[in-house]
Amino acid sequence: MKFKQVLAGAALAATVAVSGGAQAAGFDQADLIKEIDRPLTVVFVPKVVHPWYEVVEAGAQFAADEFKKAGIEVNVIMDAPPVADISEHIRKIEANISRRPDGLAVACLDPATDTQAINDGIAAGVNVSTFDTDCPDSDRLMYVGHNKDEQDGYDLGTLMAERIGGEGKVGILSGSLSAPNHRNRVIGFKKAMDEYPDIEIVFERPDNDDLQKAVELTENALQANPDLDGIFGCNASAPIGAARAVKTAGKAGEVHVVGTDDLPEAVDLVKEGVIDALMAQRQWEIGYWTVKYFVAMAQGHTYPKEHATGSQFLTKDMVEGQ
């Protein structure tokens, strides 16, 4: 919590800093606050309803609460499709363009399709940004998130290879096939596997970021490959589902699991030694800074084209005692 408070304390100053030198021009914080005399609305359209985005929402709401104390009202709305379906995703984007919020943040599910919807929003005069997963070829105003997904997959693959001694059989839960961050993590993982000729990828299945499906796919993989050595999950649900199945099969520590993101259950499974490592994004910061920059836009200030929030390894040694 102390880290969040420090980050939050620095954030309002950062919002002023991106204003292009308002302080130097003779304005103080009160002058900036007076520029907004109505409630603002910021809408997030995630890929799917998922606990991962609840942390994004928490960061966004923290920023809104800060602004409220400063006299600016910001309403944060999360409007996610119930399933990771591109048609539903586009409908959500289009509906929110019609409501004309002060900021619309989109987590791209299929960049080729989402790009046109984002461009339509920009053309309609709506401030549209991306978060989590970018649509880099769109006209989006900014991107807040982590886009080094291939490197994350590679690093997790390297750790997996070390844990299984550079040989054996591994499987991949590949998430949503249209999601570029899922796809790029798998690409990075496979590149790492290519460096170990004695490691064989024996299955690769899309789990669509669905926890129960990840459990079922892993159960099937363990039955088909009783000598399986490792499983890579490229999204927040996959490592949890894989670890549940491995644990139920009595193979914790025998079948090594690596994956992404730091949902509470995943962190607990790392502490138990069922999951070897996670590559965690900083989704709280994604929500926090997205709201900060949309308010900066409403105030007429400059803002970054991209804000990289980064990622970090979580292993048992790192999370024990937390």
Side-chain angles (χ1 to χ4, degrees), residues 6-313:
V6 170
L7 175 66
L12 190 55
T15 302
V16 175
V18 299
S19 68
Q23 295 279 4
F27 296 99
D28 60 19
Q29 183 174 320
D31 292 320
L32 297 178
I33 292 171
K34 289 176 184 177
E35 293 179 8
I36 298 178
D37 58 0
R38 60 179 178 81
L40 302 178
T41 300
V42 174
V43 179
F44 289 79
V45 178
K47 298 173 191 169
V48 66
V49 174
H50 197 286
W52 193 91
Y53 292 108
E54 294 175 6
V55 185
V56 175
E57 183 177 11
Q61 190 58 54
F62 194 96
D65 291 343
E66 280 190 337
F67 278 119
K68 186 174 183 178
K69 293 175 184 177
I72 300 174
E73 183 177 349
V74 182
N75 299 311
V76 174
I77 298 172
M78 302 294 287
D79 192 12
V83 294
D85 177 82
I86 188 57
S87 297
E88 290 294 326
H89 199 245
I90 292 298
R91 277 193 282 271
K92 289 288 187 183
I93 297 171
E94 291 175 343
N96 282 292
I97 289 171
S98 297
R99 70 195 297 176
R100 302 190 67 81
D102 298 282
L104 174 59
V106 176
C108 294
L109 178 60
D110 178 5
T113 308
D114 284 335
T115 288
Q116 185 58 56
I118 290 171
N119 291 351
D120 290 344
I122 294 292
V126 177
N127 291 334
V128 186
S129 75
T130 53
F131 75 105
D132 177 21
T133 308
D134 195 13
C135 285
D137 295 328
S138 72
D139 296 331
R140 52 89 167 146
L141 299 179
M142 67 177 180
Y143 166 68
V144 181
H146 173 64
N147 58 8
K148 303 298 183 184
D149 302 299
E150 186 174 318
Q151 185 64 50
D152 287 349
Y154 178 87
D155 291 342
L156 285 166
T158 300
L159 185 144
M160 168 76 80
E162 293 172 353
R163 293 294 172 92
I164 66 175
E167 60 181 3
K169 296 180 179 180
V170 301
I172 298 172
L173 295 174
S174 54
S176 300
L177 297 180
S178 66
N181 56 344
H182 296 181
R183 189 168 60 245
N184 288 333
R185 289 167 189 158
V186 172
I187 289 172
F189 181 81
K190 287 181 174 179
K191 285 185 176 180
M193 295 300 98
D194 287 343
E195 297 177 5
Y196 295 86
D198 293 326
I199 295 179
E200 179 185 5
I201 298 174
V202 295
F203 82 91
E204 180 179 350
R205 297 288 185 274
D207 56 273
N208 294 322
D209 212 345
D210 182 293
L211 179 55
Q212 187 53 42
K213 189 167 185 179
V215 172
E216 294 170 359
L217 288 171
T218 303
E219 289 173 342
N220 294 338
L222 292 172
Q223 290 175 4
N225 304 275
D227 55 347
L228 191 69
D229 295 289
I231 300 174
F232 166 60
C234 74
N235 56 76
S237 298
I240 296 174
R244 284 186 184 180
V246 166
K247 188 176 179 180
T248 299
K251 293 192 172 184
E254 177 184 344
V255 178
H256 297 270
V257 179
V258 299
T260 59
D261 299 315
D262 59 348
L263 296 183
E265 184 177 353
V267 174
D268 288 342
L269 288 162
V270 171
K271 292 178 181 178
E272 292 179 35
V274 185
I275 294 178
D276 289 65
L278 298 168
M279 187 67 78
Q281 296 189 60
R282 297 178 172 91
Q283 60 265 43
W284 191 93
E285 293 184 41
I286 292 173
Y288 182 91
W289 287 107
T290 296
V291 170
K292 285 290 179 180
Y293 293 139
F294 274 135
V295 174
M297 289 181 196
Q299 293 174 320
H301 305 320
T302 58
Y303 49 88
K305 188 72 173 176
E306 295 188 7
H307 179 143
T309 50
S311 64
Q312 60 180 342
F313 260 122

